[in-house]
Amino acid sequence: TSKEIYDKIIEFMMKDSPNHHGMVKDNHMCFTGGEPLMVTGQQAVVGIYNELKKQGNLPGSMTFETNGTQKLREPFLEWAKSIDTEIFFSCSPKLFTVSGEKPEKAIKPEIVAEYLQASTKGQLKFVVGPLQREWDEMEEVLNEA
């Protein structure tokens, strides 16, 4: 449940971090992978946020580290538009020359564009190496978007 996840987050913070009081309040919270924006992840985030709110322990901002392939569902969008906490999307599409993932599966500019409905804050982040073809593919992807 969301309450159980909340309790684990607070327990971890109190035990393994300099934040021995377990306070998320006014700090930054980051949701990362697997893929935090899968449908179940979106539901979990809303539940965790609601539990943080109930406890008076809301973060000042939140980042979602995503590959940019997951469509935001209506309940998540409604929630994102209704909260005061800043949301930031860090989108890291997977390039074929680096990951081997097929572009039609990995590159979804139409979905990333929809993230603007939830927040105008974000970034694109590409993993590239020393090979020119990796940089060329990144340029192609950016030009297509």
Side-chain angles (χ1 to χ4, degrees):
T1 67
S2 299
K3 172 77 168 101
E4 291 169 330
I5 295 170
Y6 169 84
D7 289 343
K8 286 191 182 292
I9 292 168
I10 299 307
E11 178 185 334
F12 172 78
M13 290 177 68
M14 292 175 73
K15 182 174 114 185
D16 293 333
S17 82
N19 183 346
H20 298 292
H21 303 290
M23 292 301 290
V24 175
K25 185 176 176 140
D26 300 327
N27 287 306
H28 183 80
M29 182 173 266
C30 181
F31 293 90
T32 189
E35 174 52 58
L37 293 179
M38 291 175 64
V39 174
T40 54
Q42 291 179 42
Q43 294 167 341
V45 165
V46 172
I48 293 166
Y49 184 89
N50 289 338
E51 189 61 37
L52 290 165
K53 184 175 183 179
K54 191 187 317 181
Q55 302 295 330
N57 197 7
L58 287 176
S61 59
M62 294 183 295
T63 293
F64 293 92
E65 292 183 348
T66 176
N67 63 16
T69 63
Q70 300 299 307
K71 187 171 181 57
L72 299 181
R73 307 300 182 204
E74 198 55 41
F76 184 90
L77 276 171
E78 288 175 22
W79 165 79
K81 292 177 191 177
S82 71
I83 65 173
D84 292 329
T85 301
E86 179 181 278
I87 294 175
F88 186 91
F89 291 101
S90 180
C91 298
S92 184
K94 306 299 178 244
L95 299 173
F96 178 76
T97 53
V98 177
S99 70
E101 195 158 341
K102 295 184 180 189
E104 58 273 8
K105 183 179 175 190
I107 308 297
K108 303 283 186 182
E110 69 283 358
I111 289 177
V112 173
E114 290 177 359
Y115 293 175
L116 289 170
Q117 295 175 42
S119 175
T120 59
K121 309 264 191 254
Q123 69 182 7
L124 285 174
K125 179 177 73 168
F126 292 93
V127 174
V128 292
L131 302 177
Q132 186 60 45
R133 63 189 173 115
E134 297 166 353
W135 291 87
D136 292 344
E137 183 185 7
M138 181 186 69
E139 289 292 327
E140 288 171 24
V141 167
L142 290 171
N143 289 332
E144 289 174 19

